[in-house]
Amino acid sequence: MTVPSGAAGAGRRRVLIIEDEPDLVRGLRDALEFEGFEIMAAGLGREGVTLARDRGPDLVLLDLMLPDMNGFAVCEEIRAVNPVIPVIMLTARSQENDKIRGLEAGADDYVTKPFSIGELVARINAIFRRLQRITPREEEITIGTTVVYPRRHELVRRGKTMALSFYEVELLRLLAERDGQPVPREEILEKIWGVSSNSSTRGVDNVIVKLRRKIEDNPGDPRHIVTIYGTGYKLVMD
Ligand code: CA
């Protein structure tokens, strides 16, 4: 099986930018096209939802403050048509509470404006590197009464199927590979988000919260995704 990589023609990854600041769109477009991505852009939330539905991008960069809709509503509508696509929300520094709401609405990650385009590109490249590494014969992961199907971005628990986002799948995969050994937050951040040390690890913690809601009987007192204080997390599979 050959997997198209980088800037190689027909296999180019497609990034949808939903953002109403023309200078920012221009900067992102230049940097991402230079990296070999195909870019589509929308300045309105409604237009972004339509592009996400009709043109099947591989990743979405979503501004929180748009002229016609707020980013949360846009994110929810995109999630309704594509539950697994990676969505990175672009928020302003003063919108701390909004980050939490954004993650509730289904965004997996966020960057705070003003951000370094270099760091954002690193995160996007990390997502696509990991997507490429998924092997065709990958097995399922059984965690208690839950069976996770990484390639389908789904889990089944007590007869109910739930969609998993890109970050949820990757985090479970990484913890499962360690077979019960603790994995430091910084390592999770570097391997999955593609960013190192100085960045906030809150994105990791938020994905953990979402996973516990899907997997644990009692998400407030988790049995399977266990916090190791001062370090990170480990996965208890039985
Ligand atoms: Ca805006």
Side-chain angles (χ1 to χ4, degrees):
M1 179 182 157
T2 50
V3 180
S5 66
R12 287 206 298 167
R13 301 285 193 181
R14 309 197 312 157
V15 176
L16 169 60
I17 303 169
I18 308 175
E19 166 64 65
D20 63 311
E21 292 169 44
D23 289 347
L24 183 53
V25 174
R26 197 173 305 119
L28 287 169
R29 181 190 285 278
D30 288 349
L32 292 170
E33 283 181 348
F34 183 78
E35 293 289 318
F37 300 120
E38 183 180 328
I39 303 304
M40 47 189 109
L44 293 173
R46 179 57 49 208
E47 188 191 350
V49 169
T50 303
L51 286 176
R53 187 191 62 215
D54 296 345
R55 297 197 39 208
D58 299 299
L59 182 143
V60 179
L61 298 178
L62 173 60
D63 179 34
L64 185 58
M65 307 283 279
L66 294 160
D68 62 328
M69 291 169 74
N70 74 49
F72 306 124
V74 174
C75 192
E76 278 170 4
E77 292 200 24
I78 290 173
R79 278 277 173 259
V81 294
N82 188 336
V84 306
I85 188 169
V87 176
I88 300 177
M89 204 167 259
L90 313 176
T91 69
R93 193 171 291 281
S94 58
Q95 295 164 332
E96 202 68 14
N97 289 334
D98 289 344
K99 289 175 190 167
I100 309 302
R101 271 187 70 199
L103 293 158
E104 295 287 329
D108 294 291
D109 197 8
Y110 51 82
V111 295
T112 304
K113 293 180 184 178
F115 54 82
S116 139
I117 287 186
E119 180 178 329
L120 183 61
V121 167
R123 290 190 194 208
I124 292 169
N125 279 326
I127 288 173
F128 288 136
R129 264 198 310 278
R130 293 189 72 84
L131 283 172
Q132 271 186 1
R133 285 223 320 255
I134 296 172
T135 58
R137 49 166 201 81
E138 184 170 359
E139 288 164 19
E140 59 210 44
I141 304 167
T142 302
I143 305 163
T145 56
T146 304
V147 182
V148 179
Y149 300 93
R151 291 185 60 223
R152 281 159 39 193
H153 284 254
E154 280 176 0
L155 64 75
V156 178
R157 179 174 153 80
R158 303 199 168 122
K160 194 177 162 209
T161 301
M162 283 176 270
L164 293 168
S165 73
F166 166 81
Y167 289 92
E168 290 169 333
V169 169
E170 291 302 316
L171 194 39
L172 279 178
R173 199 200 304 268
L174 179 59
L175 293 175
E177 278 168 11
R178 293 309 169 82
D179 203 22
Q181 299 301 307
V183 185
R185 279 187 184 79
E186 289 72 20
E187 183 182 341
I188 295 170
L189 197 62
E190 192 169 342
K191 288 210 164 133
I192 301 177
W193 274 259
V195 293
S196 55
S197 55
N198 290 335
S199 308
S200 167
T201 56
R202 198 169 21 203
V204 177
D205 299 337
N206 279 299
V207 175
I208 291 282
V209 167
K210 291 199 280 185
L211 279 174
R212 282 176 174 156
R213 285 192 195 133
K214 292 179 183 176
I215 288 172
E216 302 283 354
D217 284 333
N218 180 358
D221 183 19
R223 270 197 59 211
H224 297 293
I225 304 174
V226 179
T227 303
I228 309 297
Y229 288 98
T231 306
Y233 298 99
K234 69 174 185 177
L235 185 62
V236 177
M237 296 175 70
D238 50 60

